[in-house]
Tab-separated table of all heavy atoms in Angstrom:
chain	number	residue	atom	x	y	z
J	6	PHE	N	107.861	92.325	110.995
J	6	PHE	CA	107.589	93.748	111.209
J	6	PHE	C	106.131	93.953	111.606
J	6	PHE	O	105.832	94.615	112.597
J	6	PHE	CB	107.918	94.553	109.943
J	6	PHE	CG	107.471	95.982	110.019
J	6	PHE	CD1	108.262	96.938	110.635
J	6	PHE	CD2	106.244	96.373	109.479
J	6	PHE	CE1	107.833	98.264	110.726
J	6	PHE	CE2	105.820	97.696	109.555
J	6	PHE	CZ	106.622	98.638	110.183
J	8	GLU	N	103.978	91.761	112.778
J	8	GLU	CA	103.692	91.132	114.067
J	8	GLU	C	104.081	92.075	115.204
J	8	GLU	O	103.338	92.234	116.175
J	8	GLU	CB	104.458	89.815	114.193
J	8	GLU	CG	103.893	88.701	113.344
J	8	GLU	CD	104.795	87.473	113.293
J	8	GLU	OE1	105.874	87.455	113.929
J	8	GLU	OE2	104.410	86.519	112.595
J	10	MET	N	104.363	95.339	115.008
J	10	MET	CA	103.445	96.483	114.972
J	10	MET	C	102.129	96.128	115.673
J	10	MET	O	101.603	96.936	116.436
J	10	MET	CB	103.177	96.905	113.524
J	10	MET	CG	104.339	97.568	112.833
J	10	MET	SD	104.677	99.227	113.451
J	10	MET	CE	103.273	100.131	112.811
J	12	ILE	N	101.680	93.980	118.050
J	12	ILE	CA	101.933	93.916	119.495
J	12	ILE	C	102.012	95.327	120.072
J	12	ILE	O	101.430	95.614	121.112
J	12	ILE	CB	103.222	93.129	119.786
J	12	ILE	CG1	103.014	91.652	119.453
J	12	ILE	CG2	103.660	93.314	121.243
J	12	ILE	CD1	104.291	90.834	119.425
J	14	LEU	N	100.913	98.306	118.795
J	14	LEU	CA	99.784	99.223	118.593
J	14	LEU	C	98.418	98.562	118.592
J	14	LEU	O	97.403	99.253	118.533
J	14	LEU	CB	99.976	99.978	117.267
J	14	LEU	CG	101.212	100.869	117.198
J	14	LEU	CD1	101.460	101.320	115.779
J	14	LEU	CD2	101.047	102.050	118.119
J	15	GLY	N	98.396	97.260	118.613
J	15	GLY	CA	97.130	96.546	118.516
J	15	GLY	C	96.804	96.243	117.069
J	15	GLY	O	97.069	97.062	116.179
J	18	SER	N	94.824	98.819	114.980
J	18	SER	CA	95.389	100.154	114.744
J	18	SER	C	96.690	100.167	113.966
J	18	SER	O	97.036	101.182	113.360
J	18	SER	CB	95.638	100.848	116.086
J	18	SER	OG	94.454	100.973	116.808
J	19	ALA	N	97.428	99.079	113.985
J	19	ALA	CA	98.783	99.074	113.440
J	19	ALA	C	98.839	99.490	111.973
J	19	ALA	O	99.653	100.343	111.594
J	19	ALA	CB	99.414	97.697	113.624
J	21	SER	N	96.636	101.147	110.061
J	21	SER	CA	96.240	102.525	109.785
J	21	SER	C	97.288	103.502	110.324
J	21	SER	O	97.594	104.495	109.668
J	21	SER	CB	94.852	102.841	110.312
J	21	SER	OG	94.709	102.490	111.640
J	23	ALA	N	100.427	102.985	110.493
J	23	ALA	CA	101.568	102.908	109.578
J	23	ALA	C	101.325	103.629	108.254
J	23	ALA	O	102.272	103.962	107.550
J	23	ALA	CB	101.926	101.447	109.311
J	24	THR	N	100.066	103.870	107.919
J	24	THR	CA	99.779	104.590	106.679
J	24	THR	C	99.512	106.070	106.910
J	24	THR	O	99.491	106.841	105.952
J	24	THR	CB	98.567	103.982	105.938
J	24	THR	OG1	97.420	104.070	106.765
J	24	THR	CG2	98.827	102.546	105.549
J	26	THR	N	101.005	107.988	109.810
J	26	THR	CA	101.999	108.667	110.638
J	26	THR	C	103.299	108.871	109.873
J	26	THR	O	103.964	107.902	109.491
J	26	THR	CB	102.268	107.865	111.922
J	26	THR	OG1	101.014	107.631	112.573
J	26	THR	CG2	103.195	108.626	112.856
J	28	LEU	N	107.111	109.916	109.676
J	28	LEU	CA	108.263	109.915	110.568
J	28	LEU	C	109.452	110.586	109.886
J	28	LEU	O	109.856	110.173	108.792
J	28	LEU	CB	108.633	108.489	110.975
J	28	LEU	CG	107.517	107.655	111.625
J	28	LEU	CD1	108.015	106.256	111.949
J	28	LEU	CD2	106.999	108.336	112.869
J	29	SER	N	110.009	111.586	110.522
J	29	SER	CA	111.143	112.297	109.927
J	29	SER	C	112.338	111.372	109.751
J	29	SER	O	113.104	111.522	108.795
J	29	SER	CB	111.523	113.514	110.770
J	29	SER	OG	111.908	113.119	112.068
J	30	GLY	N	112.497	110.407	110.650
J	30	GLY	CA	113.608	109.461	110.544
J	30	GLY	C	113.508	108.525	109.350
J	30	GLY	O	114.460	107.818	109.029
J	31	LEU	N	112.364	108.540	108.698
J	31	LEU	CA	112.171	107.745	107.473
J	31	LEU	C	112.115	108.656	106.250
J	31	LEU	O	111.526	108.306	105.230
J	31	LEU	CB	110.888	106.912	107.571
J	31	LEU	CG	110.869	105.838	108.656
J	31	LEU	CD1	109.493	105.177	108.737
J	31	LEU	CD2	111.951	104.796	108.407
J	34	ARG	N	108.510	109.988	105.387
J	34	ARG	CA	107.581	108.973	104.882
J	34	ARG	C	106.835	108.346	106.048
J	34	ARG	O	107.276	108.372	107.183
J	34	ARG	CB	108.344	107.849	104.169
J	34	ARG	CG	109.079	108.246	102.933
J	34	ARG	CD	109.765	106.995	102.367
J	34	ARG	NE	110.453	107.271	101.146
J	34	ARG	CZ	111.769	107.267	101.012
J	34	ARG	NH1	112.546	107.018	102.046
J	34	ARG	NH2	112.327	107.519	99.853
J	35	THR	N	105.729	107.723	105.721
J	35	THR	CA	105.065	106.869	106.698
J	35	THR	C	105.802	105.531	106.706
J	35	THR	O	106.524	105.214	105.746
J	35	THR	CB	103.591	106.626	106.320
J	35	THR	OG1	103.538	105.840	105.119
J	35	THR	CG2	102.832	107.938	106.156
J	36	PRO	N	105.626	104.726	107.739
J	36	PRO	CA	106.249	103.399	107.707
J	36	PRO	C	105.835	102.587	106.473
J	36	PRO	O	106.677	101.916	105.861
J	36	PRO	CB	105.755	102.751	109.005
J	36	PRO	CG	105.608	103.916	109.934
J	36	PRO	CD	105.043	105.007	109.049
J	37	GLN	N	104.571	102.666	106.092
J	37	GLN	CA	104.128	101.916	104.913
J	37	GLN	C	104.820	102.417	103.649
J	37	GLN	O	105.255	101.627	102.814
J	37	GLN	CB	102.609	102.008	104.755
J	37	GLN	CG	102.076	101.189	103.590
J	37	GLN	CD	102.292	99.703	103.790
J	37	GLN	OE1	101.766	99.132	104.724
J	37	GLN	NE2	103.054	99.071	102.918
J	39	ALA	N	107.713	103.837	103.486
J	39	ALA	CA	109.114	103.425	103.565
J	39	ALA	C	109.275	101.966	103.133
J	39	ALA	O	110.182	101.638	102.362
J	39	ALA	CB	109.637	103.633	104.980
J	43	GLY	N	111.155	100.231	99.557
J	43	GLY	CA	112.246	99.266	99.620
J	43	GLY	C	113.157	99.406	100.828
J	43	GLY	O	114.178	98.731	100.908
J	46	PRO	N	112.616	96.352	106.449
J	46	PRO	CA	111.706	96.343	107.595
J	46	PRO	C	112.429	96.567	108.925
J	46	PRO	O	111.895	97.228	109.814
J	46	PRO	CB	111.062	94.959	107.537
J	46	PRO	CG	111.140	94.573	106.106
J	46	PRO	CD	112.421	95.169	105.596
J	48	GLN	N	115.015	98.428	109.501
J	48	GLN	CA	115.279	99.860	109.628
J	48	GLN	C	113.991	100.624	109.944
J	48	GLN	O	113.985	101.533	110.770
J	48	GLN	CB	115.909	100.393	108.340
J	48	GLN	CG	116.297	101.848	108.399
J	48	GLN	CD	116.951	102.320	107.107
J	48	GLN	OE1	117.350	101.526	106.263
J	48	GLN	NE2	117.040	103.623	106.952
J	49	VAL	N	112.907	100.258	109.297
J	49	VAL	CA	111.621	100.906	109.552
J	49	VAL	C	111.193	100.632	110.992
J	49	VAL	O	110.764	101.542	111.702
J	49	VAL	CB	110.547	100.443	108.545
J	49	VAL	CG1	109.201	101.070	108.866
J	49	VAL	CG2	110.966	100.783	107.116
J	52	GLU	N	112.995	102.758	113.555
J	52	GLU	CA	112.483	104.126	113.633
J	52	GLU	C	111.134	104.181	114.341
J	52	GLU	O	110.879	105.075	115.146
J	52	GLU	CB	112.390	104.745	112.240
J	52	GLU	CG	111.934	106.173	112.241
J	52	GLU	CD	112.782	107.110	113.094
J	52	GLU	OE1	113.988	106.843	113.285
J	52	GLU	OE2	112.247	108.124	113.584
J	58	GLY	N	108.906	105.259	121.525
J	58	GLY	CA	109.529	105.091	122.831
J	58	GLY	C	109.192	103.760	123.467
J	58	GLY	O	108.938	103.665	124.667
J	60	PRO	N	109.603	99.899	124.896
J	60	PRO	CA	110.617	99.298	125.752
J	60	PRO	C	111.560	98.392	124.959
J	60	PRO	O	111.215	97.896	123.882
J	60	PRO	CB	109.793	98.470	126.755
J	60	PRO	CG	108.482	98.234	126.085
J	60	PRO	CD	108.260	99.406	125.173
J	63	LEU	N	110.667	95.089	123.224
J	63	LEU	CA	110.025	95.048	121.901
J	63	LEU	C	110.987	95.394	120.780
J	63	LEU	O	110.578	95.546	119.632
J	63	LEU	CB	108.834	96.006	121.857
J	63	LEU	CG	107.638	95.617	122.713
J	63	LEU	CD1	106.558	96.692	122.626
J	63	LEU	CD2	107.076	94.276	122.294
Side-chain angles (χ1 to χ4, degrees):
F6 171 84
E8 287 170 1
M10 289 289 289
I12 291 168
L14 297 168
S18 301
S21 51
T24 61
T26 306
L28 304 179
S29 61
L31 295 174
R34 296 180 178 111
T35 67
Q37 183 65 62
Q48 184 179 346
V49 177
E52 183 56 28
L63 291 177

